[in-house]
Amino acid sequence: MSSITLIGTGNMARTIGTLAVAGGNTVEVIGRDAAKSAALAKTLGGGTTAGTFGATPAGDIVLLAVLFDSAVPIVREFRDALAGKIIVDITNPFNATGTGLALPHDTSVAQSVAEAAPASARVVKAFNTLFRHVLAQGGPVDVFLAGDDAQAKASVSTFIESLGLRPRDTGDLSMAHWLEGAGLLTMGLARHGVGNFDFSLGINNLG
């Protein structure tokens, strides 16, 4: 199983942490508010620990379970503490109305995270196309991911499988822009074509 650190104490951290503990993974929670980190660690159980913000994360895989505009600043704050880690960006850079992306069309949050991270860190985009409550229900749903390092993607895929979910590799980190666009697509479908938030994007193998 995997060793993971969740940076963040909100709903996505709680959801992924719950699945991670159930999947037998070693989990650490880090947040700016030490009391909230400790409370979430206690809620998750299963030996979950609370780390110190800015200190070296215990997990080999570090998930940025924060709002998109906090992702890069947090990576800059941790900086060398993230050396050698796999950093998973799960964020969506939606604008205020959720009708567009709040970043230029030639980049992504994940690519910006990679630029801010130590050279030895490896960045993977994942989890951003799933609504939290759908993720909380567990598998089998598809988790799309992108990254430049094959070994890092393999490690993240193993973690995803431990949650009872299906990893779907979309290519290198430049694909993160399109995954963030797919996150926006799910919002449009929820508001219009589907009419609710009780669905996920997935692959149907017809062959």
Side-chain angles (χ1 to χ4, degrees):
M1 295 296 103
S2 303
S3 172
I4 72 159
T5 292
L6 294 159
I7 297 181
T9 57
N11 289 332
M12 281 298 284
R14 182 183 300 270
T15 298
I16 294 176
T18 298
L19 293 174
V21 169
N25 299 282
T26 300
V27 180
E28 177 188 51
V29 177
I30 295 178
R32 291 188 185 277
D33 187 323
K36 287 184 178 179
S37 299
L40 179 55
K42 182 177 180 180
T43 297
L44 294 177
T48 300
T49 59
T52 301
F53 194 88
T56 300
D60 297 323
I61 299 174
V62 179
L63 289 98
L64 298 176
V66 297
L67 298 177
F68 86 89
D69 53 0
S70 297
V72 170
I74 285 174
V75 170
R76 286 176 177 156
E77 286 186 65
F78 274 78
R79 189 56 189 174
D80 291 342
L82 295 173
K85 301 293 185 180
I86 298 171
I87 304 171
V88 181
D89 167 37
I90 72 169
T91 68
N92 275 311
F94 296 158
N95 63 18
T97 60
T99 57
L101 297 179
L103 290 179
H105 293 299
D106 59 351
T107 189
S108 65
V109 180
Q111 288 167 287
S112 297
V113 165
E115 292 171 0
S120 61
R122 296 158 292 167
V123 176
V124 175
K125 185 80 180 186
F127 292 103
N128 73 295
T129 61
L130 288 167
F131 295 118
R132 182 193 61 79
H133 69 283
V134 173
L135 179 61
Q137 294 170 11
V141 295
D142 292 332
V143 179
F144 299 106
L145 64 146
D148 291 334
D149 188 280
Q151 185 176 5
K153 288 193 289 186
S155 296
V156 174
S157 293
T158 297
F159 170 61
I160 290 169
E161 288 171 346
S162 79
L163 309 183
L165 311 173
R166 293 184 296 244
R168 302 289 194 181
D169 188 350
T170 66
D172 65 28
L173 199 61
S174 68
M175 290 299 292
H177 170 75
W178 304 106
L179 289 182
E180 291 170 4
L184 187 63
L185 174 66
T186 62
M187 291 294 290
L189 287 168
R191 291 168 170 170
H192 303 286
V194 177
N196 62 65
F197 291 84
D198 299 323
F199 71 95
S200 66
L201 301 181
I203 303 298
N204 287 325
N205 290 314
L206 303 178

